[in-house]
Amino acid sequence: MVSITTKKPRNQSIMQTLFLPYTALFIFVILLLTFYTIANETTKLKTSAFSTLQNNAAIIMDNFESVVHDLDTASQNIIYSNLIKEKFGTYINYQDSTLSSNEIYESINNTKVLYDLIIAMIGPNSPADQTYLYSLDYGKFGVGLDNTSSKDSVLNQDWYDEVVRLKGKKYIYCEKDETLGRYYSYPDDNNFISLSRVFYSPLNIPQGIVEVKKSFKSVANAVTAFQSPYEEEVYLYGPDGKTVYSMGSGKHNELYFDLITKQTNGALEDANQTPIYLKSENKYILFTTSDYTGFITALVIDNRMLMQPIYQYISANLILLFFVMVITVFISYLISKRIATPLSKISNQVRAFQLTSADTEPAFEEMELKITEVNTLYQTLLKMQKKARASMERELQLQSSDMQSKMLALQAQMNPHFLYNSLATIQAMADENMNQEIIMMCQTISRIFRYISSDSEQLVSLKDELSHTQDYLECMKVRYHDSLQFEFDIPEGMHEVRIPKLCLQLIVENAIKYSTKSSPPWNVKILGVLTNTYWEIQIRDNGPGFTKDDLEHLQEKISHIEKNGVLPNLEIDGMGLMNIYIRFKILYQGKHIFRLSNHVPHGAIVVIGGMMP
């Protein structure tokens, strides 16, 4: 053993115990965590960069798809308009014959109507810059940037065979259009996205082809709007591999498309999410393929640009690591020095501490320690018994609050079938144009939900509860018509009696639920009795009534509660009669009335009430 001389301060051993091993451990842990963090965050940075680029590709593709979708919608609006097809057929017929003066006037008027119809179909948002209607055997009719017509045969169009082959399905292509490009003042604005499809006559005979066009500048603007730090190259390929748009050197367009095609033809479900590494160029290719259009958006990024933020992150972390280690050693020394002496004193006091009973205070001597946290710890030990007692009292309060919360949850519940049935009833009335009844129904439901969702106390006046119950019955009467009858007989002196919220309506709802299992008519009566000592409300129905087993089961539960004085948990999933009984027992502290019985010859009777104050 190593002997400790008396000249050496006692806290020297504590300093060694605290400072040396733990400082070494802290440094080791910091190093381990730092290198792990660097490795992990480097992977995350790279994954995040790929995710960002993938999202950029998806956004560009979404923008392109949005343009195509608008064109598709515009073309369908046109081809499904029988009036447009009729006017276009009339327009073609007028072109093939010599016209009289009246026919010339009719032709001009027909052309104007056709033009207006196409403009109306396209809409005010102008999803298409240009629309052409082609006759299969005459020429074309233009609306948009180019409002001219010509006898150019559709057979001369490059896309004709493919559009005919698709038999009414959309065909998308991108090409330059010098004619439409003249209407733009900016260079390179002669690129257009075009969508064509065959349209048919009412007899399902091919009548012509509609072509809608949109300038490519909207997609190009979406590409240039990205301010990515990676300086990626952007490519847009058609289904046939043709480069539709390129924002890069363009030296390897076909190579990039071949690599993408090879990967997407594989079995990978997430092929679009897997970057392609081109080792010869030290580049990554990220792409997204559109199931809607068949086009592909590809982003090509140089690996050196991708790694640059990662290198900066690693350098910053290594510098930070050095300063953290220096600060850790210094703080460890200060903490060890300041904690050693007070911890020794506290340790001696704690050895003698025992909590014997709730009325015994710990016999600790008062000490003023210079370290705030250690002093707080010591004061906490002094107050431990008081804290334990306070915690016990707080637990009781929490149990009470828990019961209160459950009661509020029960109060807020409502049978969703009532809402579904009410909406179905309103729909049926709407079909019958029963406007006044619909207004009444909506106002009644509004009052019901306002009452249910109001932040009132758990006890409400009987007058309010009766009003809410009557609203509910009015809604049910709209549903069941004359098959449901109800009656209120409540003395006016009972209107200010306080009862649990929603209990009356829920008993009535239960009565209707079981009464409707028998043949109509169904009668519900709500009767009130008021004396000098008590008040009670009777809810009667003419349904099948309680079964003998149900009455015995409910009475057995009530007897068990009355005998033991232990209330079961409220059931949040339902608002049964037992839940209402528990609420009455809690809120009236046992001074309540709750009876269940059957009516002669049939029907159920539920009686609720309480003692007069």
Side-chain angles (χ1 to χ4, degrees), residues 350-467:
V350 171
R351 284 196 193 98
F353 172 72
Q354 291 184 351
L355 183 61
T356 56
S357 68
D359 299 325
T360 303
E361 293 291 338
F364 286 175
E365 66 176 78
E366 293 289 341
M367 292 189 306
E368 184 63 32
L369 304 176
K370 295 182 180 181
I371 303 176
T372 302
E373 291 79 7
V374 177
N375 188 61
T376 301
L377 174 62
Y378 183 68
Q379 294 299 323
T380 302
L381 291 175
L382 292 177
K383 299 175 183 178
M384 185 164 46
Q385 288 178 319
K386 294 181 180 179
K387 292 287 185 180
R389 187 180 296 112
S391 297
M392 185 172 296
E393 294 175 355
R394 187 163 54 252
E395 180 66 23
L396 294 175
Q397 293 176 356
L398 288 174
Q399 290 181 358
S400 176
S401 298
D402 181 64
M403 181 65 74
Q404 183 82 355
S405 298
K406 289 183 177 180
M407 290 175 66
L408 291 175
L410 288 169
Q411 173 181 311
Q413 283 191 350
M414 179 176 181
N415 189 346
H417 294 291
F418 166 71
L419 177 58
Y420 302 155
N421 293 333
S422 298
L423 292 176
T425 301
I426 291 174
Q427 181 181 2
M429 290 190 296
D431 292 338
E432 299 295 331
N433 292 324
M434 301 169 65
N435 295 332
Q436 293 300 322
E437 289 81 356
I438 292 174
I439 293 173
M440 184 275 292
M441 190 73 169
C442 292
Q443 291 174 343
T444 304
I445 294 176
S446 176
R447 289 196 299 272
I448 289 174
F449 279 98
R450 188 181 297 112
Y451 180 76
I452 291 174
S453 61
S454 63
D455 295 326
S456 59
E457 299 177 353
Q458 294 190 61
L459 291 176
V460 297
S461 67
L462 178 58
K463 180 180 179 182
D464 293 340
E465 185 70 8
L466 286 172
S467 177

Side-chain angles (χ1 to χ4, degrees), residues 453-562:
S453 61
S454 63
D455 295 326
S456 59
E457 299 177 353
Q458 294 190 61
L459 291 176
V460 297
S461 67
L462 178 58
K463 180 180 179 182
D464 293 340
E465 185 70 8
L466 286 172
S467 177
H468 168 69
T469 303
Q470 185 167 2
D471 285 337
Y472 171 78
L473 285 169
E474 292 292 345
C475 288
M476 299 305 293
K477 188 168 179 61
V478 171
R479 177 183 175 189
Y480 293 115
H481 305 289
D482 293 336
S483 296
L484 174 64
Q485 303 293 330
F486 60 89
E487 177 184 349
F488 289 84
D489 187 7
I490 305 294
E492 187 174 352
M494 290 181 62
H495 285 177
E496 298 306 319
V497 169
R498 310 287 287 180
I499 69 171
K501 187 175 181 181
L502 295 178
C503 67
L504 184 58
Q505 179 254 316
L506 291 166
I507 296 175
V508 170
E509 180 180 354
N510 195 61
I512 295 175
K513 174 182 177 182
Y514 288 98
S515 294
T516 52
K517 294 182 179 180
S518 60
S519 300
W522 308 301
N523 299 318
V524 177
K525 295 183 179 180
I526 303 174
L527 309 177
V529 177
L530 179 64
T531 69
N532 293 331
T533 57
Y534 72 92
W535 62 270
E536 68 178 29
I537 302 173
Q538 301 177 6
I539 299 92
R540 301 168 176 261
D541 65 65
N542 64 339
F546 297 106
T547 65
K548 183 178 180 181
D549 291 340
D550 288 340
L551 283 175
E552 290 178 355
H553 181 66
L554 291 170
Q555 192 58 49
E556 182 181 350
K557 283 189 173 183
I558 293 173
S559 300
H560 181 75
I561 293 173
E562 296 293 341

Side-chain angles (χ1 to χ4, degrees), residues 62-74:
D62 288 343
N63 185 277
F64 179 78
E65 286 184 345
S66 177
V67 173
V68 173
H69 180 270
D70 291 342
L71 293 176
D72 192 17
T73 302

Side-chain angles (χ1 to χ4, degrees), residues 101-248:
S101 58
N102 289 335
E103 290 175 335
I104 292 174
Y105 173 79
E106 292 175 358
S107 175
I108 294 173
N109 186 60
N110 180 80
T111 302
K112 182 178 182 301
V113 172
L114 178 59
Y115 178 88
D116 292 338
L117 286 173
I118 295 176
I119 291 295
M121 282 297 178
I122 294 176
N125 295 327
S126 298
D129 294 332
Q130 180 64 38
T131 301
Y132 286 118
L133 290 180
Y134 290 90
S135 170
L136 295 179
D137 53 5
Y138 175 72
K140 67 179 181 179
F141 179 81
V143 176
L145 297 174
D146 178 17
N147 294 323
T148 62
S149 302
S150 68
K151 295 184 179 181
D152 296 338
S153 175
V154 71
L155 300 177
N156 297 328
Q157 299 295 332
D158 295 336
W159 40 259
Y160 173 79
D161 292 335
E162 185 64 21
V163 172
V164 172
R165 185 186 66 82
L166 292 176
K167 297 181 179 180
K169 296 181 180 179
K170 64 179 181 296
Y171 177 67
I172 307 163
Y173 52 96
C174 298
E175 62 179 8
K176 293 182 181 295
D177 192 324
E178 301 296 342
T179 301
L180 298 181
R182 295 178 305 176
Y183 296 95
Y184 289 96
S185 58
Y186 301 100
D188 299 327
D189 276 349
N190 56 352
N191 289 312
F192 287 82
I193 305 171
S194 301
L195 185 147
S196 298
R197 55 168 27 109
V198 176
F199 63 91
Y200 295 83
S201 67
L203 299 177
N204 203 29
I205 299 172
Q207 185 176 355
I209 295 175
V210 60
E211 179 188 26
V212 287
K213 291 174 171 285
K214 183 72 175 179
S215 173
F216 199 87
K217 67 177 182 179
S218 59
V219 178
N221 290 339
V223 175
T224 56
F226 291 111
Q227 297 180 353
S228 174
Y230 305 110
E231 300 180 5
E232 65 270 21
E233 301 174 359
V234 182
Y235 298 90
L236 181 63
Y237 297 101
D240 55 358
K242 181 181 178 181
T243 304
V244 175
Y245 177 83
S246 172
M247 196 176 74

